[in-house]
Amino acid sequence: MRDLFQAYRTFFGKGDALYQLFAPYRICPLGAHVDHQHGLVTGFAFDSGIEFLFSATETGKVEMASLSFEGLMTFNVQRPVDEKQLNWGDNLH
């Protein structure tokens, strides 16, 4: 986690309040839609996942950087995203 905090400060240079979020990966061995057919749902989460650090903005602007992918992704939560950028950022909003 220390590396993540260091990377955040390198990318954004901010020392303001940071929030931490963890989204676990999920597995559904029987497929994602068997419950629609009245089947058993066996999906579960496990201890690996994606860790986020973020700080709030007043403008709704979101800037994201990844330790795994190149480039800084930017969008605004108050405006629709009309065009895909054809990179990892397309999965963020």
Side-chain angles (χ1 to χ4, degrees), residues 12-48:
F12 303 109
K14 297 177 182 174
D16 31 346
L18 290 178
Y19 301 94
Q20 182 178 346
L21 179 102
F22 177 75
Y25 295 140
R26 300 188 182 283
I27 297 175
C28 190
L30 292 179
H33 301 288
V34 296
D35 57 331
H36 298 290
Q37 305 299 322
H38 305 290
L40 296 175
V41 177
T42 61
F44 57 92
F46 57 104
D47 60 355
S48 293

Side-chain angles (χ1 to χ4, degrees), residues 46-71:
F46 57 104
D47 60 355
S48 293
I50 300 172
E51 294 179 279
F52 295 92
L53 289 180
F54 63 96
S55 51
T57 66
E58 297 291 325
T59 63
K61 181 179 180 183
V62 175
E63 294 179 314
M64 294 187 85
S66 170
L67 298 181
S68 301
F69 302 102
E70 292 184 15

Side-chain angles (χ1 to χ4, degrees), residues 75-83 93:
F75 63 94
N76 192 305
V77 296
Q78 298 172 351
R79 296 188 193 110
V81 178
D82 296 325
E83 296 181 25
H93 40 80

